[in-house]
Amino acid sequence: MNALKKNESHLALALLAPTLVVICVIALYPLGSVLIASFTNRTFASSKITEYVGLDNYSKLLHMKILSIPETIDSNDTVALLQSMPSEPYRFKPMSTFSFMGRSYVFAATDPEFLRALKDTLSFTLITVFFETILGMACALIFSHAFRGVGILRMIMLIPWAIPTAVSSKMWAWMFGSTRTGIINVIAQRLGLTDGQFPFLLEKSTQLWSIICIDVWKTTPFMTLLLIAGLQAIPRELYEAARVDGAGAVRTFFCVTLPLVLNALMVAMIFRTLDALRVFDLFQIIFAQKRFSLASYTYYQLIDGKAMGYSSASSILIFLLVFLVSLIYVKLAGGISKND
């Protein structure tokens, strides 16, 4: 029996060997190249000699500290604050100021744009995945029932997801236009919310919420599609038994539907979370250099800044973030499977 198991293991490894080689070539090799470049000052499309700089790129990306503002400097005086920032070993730049126990402080970083991109990406991910999950579940519950015209409604529902992001982003950019040519401003004016001239995509307080709306509109159908597949796998007999036991719609959802669709829900959330963390096209098309995601910031460091080593370090940090989130989801999914 042991010999048979050993032979089966060897056969399995032999069959998997070609796949493992392909994975190493198309995945591990590029990742290794980026990792090596992240420890250098390599310049993109340049004949400049590449030097090893160790963790210098990572330190510049992540170095931050809280500094006390001298009483002689006004916390609103950006020029004075910049001049007061330490320049060794790195030049610090102010991100935000705050007061504590009668003293003024500044939160400073060597690369504030990267930290803002990290904050915006995490906020974008958490909020979009939350709303897409809620709306996707609501739509899936509706479209999983058989009623007249449900097939046509499902096809219509998939239109936002089928439209290329470049097209839908431009479409929404026009809709968010800062004059009455933008339909969002027209609606907001009629509701008495704005004067019809509000710059949704230029005002910092509404920029992130605007692209969250765009992404929720576009990607909710994807969540709905995955959840419909999970809902249709639930035996109808369970709903009939719950109805006989006198369970209402809410109790049936939490006691029957949700536990049985949880695996499909977890898969949908994994796909959306990882996709949102790597968001590039939406930020790039809507904001360009006015506001960054982690991916678009890395792009500009490489293409505009020519800093290949620095952008490689940023790419590795994105990879580690995605890998960490993936591990969390795998642990959660494993715990759910054990409970089942």
Side-chain angles (χ1 to χ4, degrees), residues 153-324:
L153 289 176
R154 285 180 182 177
M155 286 190 294
I156 294 173
M157 175 200 68
L158 289 173
I159 290 175
W161 185 48
I163 297 175
T165 303
V167 176
S168 61
S169 298
K170 279 297 182 182
M171 179 180 71
W172 276 89
W174 293 329
M175 292 170 63
F176 275 118
S178 56
T179 64
R180 284 181 55 83
T181 57
I183 191 172
I184 306 297
N185 255 311
V186 173
I187 295 173
Q189 184 184 30
R190 291 186 178 181
L191 294 175
L193 300 176
T194 69
D195 60 354
Q197 306 287 326
F198 191 82
F200 288 97
L201 299 179
L202 298 177
E203 184 69 31
K204 286 192 176 295
S205 61
T206 56
Q207 281 180 334
L208 194 59
W209 285 105
S210 297
I211 63 168
I212 285 171
C213 290
I214 299 172
D215 193 73
V216 169
W217 173 83
K218 178 173 175 55
T219 319
T220 295
F222 173 75
M223 295 288 281
T224 302
L225 194 64
L226 292 178
L227 293 175
I228 286 176
L231 289 172
Q232 290 183 338
I234 300 175
R236 298 294 101 186
E237 294 82 2
L238 295 178
Y239 290 110
E240 294 174 4
R243 195 179 304 113
V244 170
D245 290 339
V250 175
R251 188 176 179 184
T252 300
F253 173 76
F254 284 103
C255 295
V256 178
T257 304
L258 188 58
L260 294 176
V261 82
L262 208 52
N263 286 329
L265 181 63
M266 186 64 68
V267 170
M269 290 180 64
I270 289 174
F271 276 119
R272 275 306 303 138
T273 302
L274 300 186
D275 199 35
L277 286 172
R278 296 179 288 106
V279 62
F280 169 77
D281 44 9
L282 189 56
F283 275 80
Q284 171 67 15
I285 294 168
I286 298 294
F287 296 136
Q289 298 186 54
K290 295 192 290 291
R291 196 157 187 162
F292 297 108
S293 67
L294 285 174
S296 64
Y297 177 82
T298 302
Y299 167 82
Y300 275 107
Q301 288 300 315
L302 176 64
I303 302 302
D304 283 10
K306 306 296 183 182
M308 189 170 182
Y310 197 68
S311 64
S312 296
S314 179
S315 299
I316 293 298
L317 291 176
I318 297 173
F319 168 77
L320 292 176
L321 176 62
V322 171
F323 182 71
L324 176 62

Side-chain angles (χ1 to χ4, degrees), residues 45-115:
S46 172
S47 58
K48 181 181 177 181
I49 298 176
T50 300
E51 297 177 351
Y52 175 77
V53 295
L55 296 175
D56 194 46
N57 291 325
Y58 295 96
S59 183
K60 288 180 181 178
L61 284 168
L62 299 174
H63 213 64
M64 63 193 84
K65 61 174 60 178
I66 297 175
L67 302 169
S68 176
I69 301 176
E71 296 181 359
T72 56
I73 295 178
D74 185 354
S75 60
N76 294 320
D77 188 347
T78 306
V79 175
L81 275 178
L82 284 171
Q83 293 175 346
S84 68
M85 295 288 101
S87 57
E88 295 294 338
Y90 308 116
R91 185 62 172 170
F92 280 85
K93 301 173 184 177
M95 283 191 66
S96 60
T97 58
F98 63 95
S99 298
F100 182 72
M101 298 183 66
R103 293 290 303 274
S104 295
Y105 297 88
V106 58
F107 181 77
T110 50
D111 193 342
E113 284 297 335
F114 176 80
L115 296 182

